[in-house]
Structures are given as structure tokens and as C-alpha cells.
Amino acid sequence: QVQLVESGGGLVQAGGSLRLSCAASGSISSINFMGWYRQGPGKQRELVAVITDGGSTNYADSVKGRFTISRDDAKNTVLLQMNSLKPEDTGVYYCNADITIGWHKGDYWGQGTQVTVSS
């Protein structure tokens, strides 16, 4: 059993910053890639940022230069530092991870954390 638990969402004014954290727990053998997705009001879920076990990163064009993803493998944690937030960044942010448990490799999701950016 694997759980991903997010924290750090909230309400912030445009131009402000938030840091999201996601901790994975369970009988984890290894974590391959970890990432963040978001779903805005009336929109489809979209990739925000992803980081591989080698540290390579990829970002949505809309957040490049403003958001930074990082991971702490000792704590099975992925972070998303969000700066210069805009109202269009509003949405539910979901943590996603590709995790190996023994011989099983699976895709796991957190429950989501709300980010609201006011203008």
C-alpha cells in the first residue's frame, strides 16, 4: 500500500508564492519519476512539472521560469516551489509518482491540494 500526501496549498494574491510538498509512504522499493498536475475550474488535468530519479526536469510552458520542482529521495518527497503566481494558476494540484514495490511498478496519485490565486 502506497500513499501520497500533499500539503502546502492555500490562498495567495497574484505575484505571491507557495510551496507544495508531497510525501510518499509505504513499502517502497524505488520511486522513478515524480510530478505535479493541476486541474483548473472547467479545465482538464494538465502536467505542471515532472522530475526523474536522475534529476531531469520538465515543465509546462506556462510555468517555466516561475515554478521549480525538486525531490528529496531520503524522505520520498517531491516539492513544487511556485513563485510569481497568477490567477490562471488556480486549481487543484495533484502529486503523481511512478513507484516500484518489489516486482510491481505502479502509478500513484495524491488526493489533491487546492491553490487559489486572487487578482
Side-chain angles (χ1 to χ4, degrees):
Q1 185 82 11
V2 171
Q3 277 193 316
L4 299 181
V5 178
E6 300 116 331
S7 61
L11 173 64
V12 65
Q13 287 189 330
S17 298
L18 284 174
R19 189 173 81 159
L20 304 183
S21 177
C22 171
S25 62
S27 301
I28 297 170
S29 299
S30 64
I31 300 179
N32 309 308
F33 65 80
M34 302 183 82
W36 291 92
Y37 287 72
R38 69 186 178 189
Q39 187 165 13
K43 298 181 180 179
Q44 290 187 329
R45 191 175 296 190
E46 63 176 355
L47 174 68
V48 176
V50 63
I51 184 167
T52 69
D53 53 355
S56 297
T57 58
N58 192 34
Y59 296 91
D61 288 343
S62 59
V63 307
K64 283 180 181 176
R66 300 188 297 121
F67 291 10
T68 302
I69 189 170
S70 60
R71 59 190 283 171
D72 183 340
D73 289 333
K75 297 179 180 179
N76 288 337
T77 298
V78 62
L79 303 173
L80 185 68
Q81 178 66 42
M82 305 186 294
N83 299 326
S84 302
L85 283 161
K86 303 175 181 180
E88 50 264 43
D89 294 318
T90 294
V92 179
Y93 283 67
Y94 297 91
C95 176
N96 173 250
D98 184 79
I99 296 174
T100 300
I101 303 172
W103 295 104
H104 173 73
K105 188 176 180 182
D107 187 53
Y108 296 88
W109 292 87
Q111 80 286 355
T113 185
Q114 177 70 43
V115 171
T116 303
V117 184
S118 63
S119 58

